[in-house]
Amino acid sequence: MPAIVIVGAQWGDEGKGKATDLLGSSVDYVVKFNGGNNAGHTVVVDDQTYALHLLPSGILTPGVVPVIGNGVVVDLDVLFEEIDGLETRGVDTSRLVISANAHLIAPYNRVLDKVTERFLGSRRIGTTGRGIGPTYADKMNRIGIRVQDLFDEKILQQKVEGALELKNQVLAKIYNRRAVEVDEILDGLLAHADRVRPMVADTALLLDAALTRGDVVLLEAGQATLLDVDHGTYPFVTSSSATAGGACTGSGIPPNRIDRVVAILKAYTTRVGEGPFPTELHDDAGELLRKTGHEYGTTTGRPRRCGWFDAVIARYAARVNGVTDFVLTKLDVLTGLEKVPVCVAYDVDGVRHAEMPMTQTEFHHATPVFEELPGWWEDISLCRRLKDLPANAQSYVRTVEEMAGAPVSVVGVGPGRDACVVLRDLA
Ligand code: GDP
Ligand code: IMO
Ligand code: MG
């Protein structure tokens, strides 16, 4: 029975939270499988706006079981802050389940994230400063602390001592920072142990049973294809697997149980932080997209870099994720433009590339080859069927679909839960 994966097609903030929320009533489980509180999902339900970071967006739908999978990195302080914030607003969070194998973001990794960025200077990544990179590095380095370690104090102490032996050398000798006491870390982590214990489970086993029963499981990515540590614009990426493959490793659901891969694709492009961005606009048009699309980060408040739609990226996302459906979001933001440029290929030092170039150097040299599509003036925010859209908006959707190489099943025409045109049901 169905497992559906939702991923971001570009550099994040495509509207994954809204898409997950939209599917909420048709699914039984929503699993976050990668990343941590570097994510920022804004979901608008009726007149209420929710900003989610660590919790899966499915938390807003009554009856859905939200799951934090093994591939996620968990900051316990943020977890309970977010839970308490939602509970205060009347959202029931009691069904939340957390994988015993998920890694914990320790305070020293938050510090290391920030000092490393400062140290890198002009080579910085522009991280969210939440400790994501150092925590995944510890996981790979086999010195990470996991959720289950909270329930064995002896093991926890050994692991924290082991980690700090190394970390304190780095903090003190390289970054000239204060060394961290083992007890300080232990106290901070153990303070949450009793509260987190009832939420913890073998989530891979739980999801296997759910799928066998015929329940619908939605696997929700944080970040996006071009921020994926393997398939993104390395080193200007996050430190986890944000593509469809990560849904399997980050949840314990095998590939042959995934039925559908839905990629969320913004009708233009944005990026937060450093790194190459071929269609980026540094002029009034970029400012217009930022203003009209409210392109300011949900997590850090940073203005998002804005540019035109990039079909090379969309095609790449379709390929590396095995996309079965695109959700094209924020089409309403393009309303009012006489012509809408879309990038159909790159020129790299005089050579035309229709596919993502192989090397970082080539991608840095890529200049977009644009085609201009005719714009539309009519307000589309109340359109609910494809034929309600102005002819030029319909043809924008069809052109994107053709260029990207997978069908567009939903078109977003506003931030609200209902503000979309559904061409084909996703679940
Ligand atoms: P995520 O990180 O992929 O979940 O996306 P974010 O929540 O960071 O950013 C997407 C923003 O666009 C949010 O503020 C959404 O409310 C908003 N949004 C989503 N879909 C649409 C749409 O179709 N039109 C408009 N105008 N806003 C949208
Ligand atoms: P959602 O889920 C946009 C970016 C950061 C930085 C890089 C590495 O809302 O789409 P990190 O803190 O992860 O080590 O930072 O990745 N980044 C995001 N950009 N949306 C996100 O999440 C992001 N999560 C991380 O800006 O460039
Ligand atoms: Mg976001």
Side-chain angles (χ1 to χ4, degrees), residues 10 14 28 31 58 63 87 109 112 135 165 169 208 214 231 241 250 292 324-325 370 391 407 411 427:
Q10 294 142 325
E14 298 90 350
D28 302 292
V31 187
E87 288 283 343
N109 281 334
L112 278 168
T135 304
E165 241 170 64
Q169 300 278 340
D208 178 70
H231 302 292
S241 299
T292 319
T324 58
D325 306 78
F370 284 116
V411 179

Side-chain angles (χ1 to χ4, degrees), residues 156-409:
L156 181 68
Q157 175 156 358
Q158 278 173 16
K159 291 192 173 178
V160 172
E161 277 171 359
L164 282 181
E165 241 170 64
L166 177 75
K167 301 277 171 177
N168 274 337
Q169 300 278 340
V170 176
L171 280 170
K173 293 189 181 153
I174 299 180
Y175 296 114
N176 206 17
R177 302 285 293 214
R178 163 179 91 80
V180 182
E181 299 288 339
V182 173
D183 283 347
E184 180 187 328
I185 300 298
L186 286 177
D187 292 349
L189 293 174
L190 288 170
H192 297 294
D194 288 342
R195 193 168 175 200
V196 86
R197 190 187 296 264
M199 303 173 186
V200 178
D202 179 342
T203 48
L205 184 64
L206 181 92
L207 294 170
D208 178 70
L211 286 169
T212 302
R213 262 198 315 274
D215 287 349
V216 181
V217 175
L218 182 65
L219 296 138
E220 176 200 50
Q223 294 75 54
T225 304
L226 293 184
L227 289 173
D228 180 282
V229 69
D230 283 279
H231 302 292
T233 47
Y234 190 91
F236 301 99
V237 293
T238 191
S239 301
S240 67
S241 299
T243 43
C248 294
T249 51
S251 70
I253 293 179
N256 59 355
R257 291 194 104 159
I258 308 278
D259 302 80
R260 227 156 156 182
V261 179
V262 179
I264 317 304
L265 182 66
K266 214 181 275 196
Y268 50 98
T269 315
T270 63
R271 165 159 217 179
V272 192
E274 306 302 319
F277 178 177
T279 64
E280 181 170 17
L281 292 162
H282 298 281
D283 57 8
D284 290 350
E287 197 50 43
L288 184 74
L289 288 176
R290 189 173 306 113
K291 283 233 165 68
T292 319
H294 305 288
E295 296 295 355
Y296 297 89
T298 312
T299 299
T300 56
R302 288 178 286 180
R304 295 174 181 150
R305 299 159 62 192
C306 296
W308 299 122
F309 181 80
D310 185 333
V312 180
I313 288 174
R315 262 197 303 280
Y316 180 69
R319 174 158 60 85
V320 299
N321 292 294
V323 170
T324 58
D325 306 78
F326 277 115
V327 173
L328 186 68
T329 60
K330 302 192 114 169
L331 189 65
D332 53 302
V333 174
L334 297 181
T335 299
L337 298 167
E338 199 177 328
K339 299 262 181 217
V340 194
V342 296
C343 165
V344 295
Y346 300 140
D347 179 307
V348 182
D349 304 325
V351 179
R352 188 183 166 105
H353 285 244
E355 294 294 336
M356 201 69 159
M358 185 176 79
T359 66
Q360 184 188 352
T361 307
E362 288 169 303
F363 193 63
H364 273 271
H365 290 190
T367 55
V369 178
F370 284 116
E371 265 177 26
E372 287 191 328
L373 302 181
W376 59 93
W377 293 91
E378 301 87 338
D379 178 0
I380 62 169
S381 61
L382 296 175
C383 297
R384 296 294 176 264
R385 291 166 304 178
L386 189 68
K387 63 176 191 199
D388 298 340
L389 292 173
N392 287 347
Q394 288 186 38
S395 96
Y396 192 84
V397 173
R398 291 307 183 202
T399 307
V400 161
E401 191 169 63
E402 245 166 63
M403 288 177 174
V408 170
S409 296

